[in-house]
Amino acid sequence: LTVFVVRNLRWRGMGVVLVGIALNVTPIVVDAGMPVEASGIVGAHIATRAEVGDLVISGKRHLATGGDHLRVLDDHIPDRWTHEVLSWGDLVIAVGIAAVMAAMLREGGRHS
């Protein structure tokens, strides 16, 4: 994904997508995976507070602990509609993608 974004930086908004990717990659590297806040899990209606400890979190994510360093960048923003826990990086990527799409529509598929 990063290679695609870098190769297409000529599109307006693609730099914002790259910043969002960097915001997500940083805690993954520093904390050996993306910490997910228990409050975000509860807020997104994925599990109750009592159930959080029993959840199996796989892939690059893990339940946030005091040993994680970049908690401000972790997955902590609950989305009740999609039952996802998002990070600031995810939101920045979404804004960047919207900007890229607007630029593509405005320019009719031509890039500068």
Side-chain angles (χ1 to χ4, degrees):
L1 181 59
T2 304
V3 171
F4 173 81
V5 170
V6 169
R7 290 185 60 130
N8 288 283
L9 281 174
R10 64 186 171 271
W11 285 103
R12 288 185 188 103
M14 202 61 85
V16 176
V17 174
L18 188 59
V19 169
I21 291 171
L23 288 172
N24 278 345
V25 168
T26 302
I28 291 170
V29 170
V30 171
D31 295 324
M34 178 62 89
V36 182
E37 296 290 335
S39 60
I41 293 170
V42 173
H45 299 282
I46 297 168
T48 66
R49 173 99 26 217
E51 297 169 332
V52 168
D54 295 329
L55 289 177
V56 176
I57 302 174
S58 61
K60 68 175 174 40
R61 291 182 170 86
H62 63 268
L63 193 59
T65 67
D68 291 316
H69 303 288
L70 295 174
R71 302 280 292 271
V72 71
L73 295 178
D74 69 10
D75 286 344
H76 65 276
I77 304 166
D79 183 352
R80 291 181 179 99
W81 295 349
T82 63
H83 302 286
E84 296 286 337
V85 185
L86 306 172
S87 67
W88 287 112
D90 296 334
L91 299 179
V92 170
I93 289 169
V95 168
I97 290 171
V100 170
M101 296 298 294
M104 289 178 151
L105 291 170
R106 186 174 38 253
E107 297 176 19
R110 299 179 312 273
H111 54 80
S112 48

